[in-house]
Amino acid sequence: MKPNYNELARRFGVSKQTISKYNNGFEKKETRDKKSKLNKYKEKIKEKINLAGATITGVYKYFYSRDNTIESRSSFA
């Protein structure tokens, strides 16, 4: 017998597609522990951000000019 996905969705506050997906045997994958390329600059970034007049974009450009393998500017936010 097929469960009432709409009823279950209302009860648990999720979409009926989510209920159906898990009812059909979906299992969430484990996430990987990926380190940020910014970790090695963590202390220096804190120092630069705390300088008077420093902006996130300015600090990002400073570090990107020295190491262009770092992630995008949004990783500084």
Side-chain angles (χ1 to χ4, degrees):
M1 184 171 170
K2 184 176 169 184
N4 185 339
Y5 294 142
N6 287 326
E7 159 100 29
L8 291 170
R10 280 190 293 275
R11 185 181 311 166
F12 293 108
V14 295
S15 72
K16 65 181 183 178
Q17 291 85 357
T18 302
I19 299 290
S20 173
K21 177 171 69 173
Y22 281 96
N23 187 52
N24 292 329
F26 175 79
E27 291 184 21
K28 202 171 187 183
K29 295 179 185 176
E30 282 190 36
T31 59
R32 60 186 181 153
D33 187 23
K34 184 179 176 184
K35 303 292 181 197
S36 171
K37 293 180 182 179
L38 296 173
N39 283 349
K40 60 186 173 185
Y41 301 117
K42 189 174 186 175
E43 292 304 316
K44 288 186 178 186
I45 289 171
K46 285 180 182 179
E47 290 173 14
K48 298 287 184 191
I49 291 287
N50 290 328
L51 293 175
T55 63
I56 292 174
T57 302
V59 174
Y60 166 73
K61 287 181 179 180
Y62 173 82
F63 284 99
Y64 186 77
S65 68
R66 284 157 176 67
D67 181 2
N68 62 1
T69 63
I70 61 175
E71 291 97 3
S72 68
R73 186 239 169 263
S74 63
S75 58
F76 272 76

